Structure formats: structure tokens, C-alpha cells
Amino acid sequence: MLLEVNDLNIEFHDHDVPERVVNHVSFSIEEGEILGIVGESGSGKSMTAMAIAGLLKRHDLEKKGEIFFAGTELLHASRAKLRTFQGNDISIIFQEPMTSLNPVKRIGWQVEESLKIHRPDMSREERRSRTIAALSDVELPNPEQVYKKYPHELSGGMRQRVMIASAMICEPKLLIADEPTTALDVTIQLQIVKLLQRLNKEKKMAVLFISHDLSLVKRLCDRIIVMQNGDIVEQGSAQAIFECPKERYTKELIEAIPRLEKLV
């Protein structure tokens, strides 16, 4: 088992009344599997991802449970221990690349950053070659030119591909994609989903795909977890969830998927 989340609880204490945002969440991910987490805004899906990636803030919150990655417990690990995994064995893609990319640094410098941290023995030329190959892997045209560009010189879809290349540069075992298509148009969304499918198969990399868009999750994921108000309300294979949903909330989410006959 690559990832095991056992009885995860996250509670914020930055208000007068504590707020529980993740409640007794447990699930696992096998090597090479694509698991989707769906739910409306505030359901706890992104907070679960942040906990796995070790990105929860250290103050004004209480976290309980266990998160095992390849046998190592991460939820209560030290910052030093987490840094050995972050960007190396576990990588994350956020929904808006312009808030993640540094506007004053060239693309090549930013994609290479994880290599500088986790592969300190690599030469400058080796890092450059690896970065251009990663940009090519995510199907960016003219990767040598993209390497030299700044984020504002690229389209939204190209910037998201850069973020995927940056996340993939150290060949992680787990890629967390937190709403990676939200800011993109429908055509580019589908391209990104197909890209993640291809990388999953070629790299044998597990993917945790977080979205409120069930149509994309249906295309991409092997299994699906449905969350509401911090709880898992249903989980199962993608086929079972869509063909025979058990919970009312899941049925309502599926009903909310736009269909052509509804629009005509």
C-alpha cells in the first residue's frame, strides 16, 4: 500500500468556536492507482490533500489520526522529515498556476528548483536537460523556448502544464492534483486529464485527483471518494459510484452534471 490515511481529523481553533473541517476520514491508495475525491466547496477535500502533502499550518489547528506514506508516518512528522518527501516522493499541483509560479523567475529556473533541493549532485547542464525533457513530457511545444520564458508569456493551459512538469521533475510516487483544471476552459481541461492519464500509465505514478467536476473524475479515476462537510459519505469504484450511487448527496452531485438534453 502506497498511502494509508487512518481516522484523519482536522479542527481549526482560530475562532471562538472550534471548527471541524475533516472528520474521521480513512482511505488508501495503491501504487499506480488514480483516486478521485469529489464534493462541493468546503467539503474537506483540499484540507485532506494539504494534510497528506504536509502543508497544514502549525498553529491554531488540531490534527489527529495517521497518514502513512510507504510505511512512514507523515501527519505528525517534523518539518525536516516532511521536506525529504515534499516535491520528491509526493508532489502537488494547485488549481491556479499564476499564484504558484513566481512572475519574476523564468520557467526553467522554477521547474529545476526541486532538482536543486533533492538532487544536489546534478550539474547545471544535467538539470537543464532534465527540465527540458520534463517540459516535453507534458506536451509543451518548443520546450527549449518555454524554458527561457516568464509565466506571463504563456497561456493558462501552458502554465498548468508547466506546473505538472515541475511536480513530475523528481518522478514522485504520488501526485496530488488539487482542482488542477478549475481555471481552464473545457477543451484544455480534457487535455490536462488525458495528460495525467498518460503520465500515470507511463510513470506508474499514483494520482490523488481532487475536483468538484464529476464529469472529469469519471473520465480519469479508478475509485472515487465523495465528501460532504468533512465526512466521507460514499466511496467505491468509479463505475459503481456513477451507475449505482447509494447516498442522496452523491445522487444530487451526479444530477448536477450538465447534460445536453437539459440545455436544449
Side-chain angles (χ1 to χ4, degrees), residues 7 30 62 77 118 121 123 132 142 145-146 152 205:
D7 199 29
E30 300 276 2
E62 182 180 16
H118 298 290
D121 295 335
S123 68
I132 289 174
N142 303 315
Q145 295 300 315
V146 172
H152 72 272
M205 164 196 68

Side-chain angles (χ1 to χ4, degrees), residues 92-94 96-98 100-101 110-111 158-168 175:
I92 188 166
I93 310 165
F94 296 103
E96 180 44 71
M98 279 305 280
S100 302
L101 292 170
Q110 298 189 63
V111 176
M158 293 176 75
R159 287 193 293 265
Q160 195 58 284
R161 289 172 187 271
V162 167
M163 291 303 301
I164 295 172
S166 182
M168 295 293 299
L175 176 67

Side-chain angles (χ1 to χ4, degrees), residues 20-66:
R20 179 72 64 87
V21 294
V22 176
N23 187 43
H24 298 293
V25 165
S26 297
F27 63 89
S28 60
I29 303 177
E30 300 276 2
E31 292 184 9
E33 182 182 21
I34 304 180
L35 175 68
I37 301 182
V38 299
E40 60 193 318
S41 297
S43 62
K45 54 190 189 297
S46 290
M47 292 306 303
T48 300
M50 297 284 275
I52 295 168
L55 297 177
L56 290 175
K57 61 182 183 179
R58 295 272 166 156
H59 305 290
D60 299 324
L61 98 84
E62 182 180 16
K63 54 188 180 180
K64 295 180 180 178
E66 299 172 318

Side-chain angles (χ1 to χ4, degrees), residues 63-79:
K63 54 188 180 180
K64 295 180 180 178
E66 299 172 318
I67 296 176
F68 286 98
F69 178 81
T72 300
E73 207 287 313
L74 298 183
L75 185 62
H76 305 287
S78 66
R79 287 187 182 275

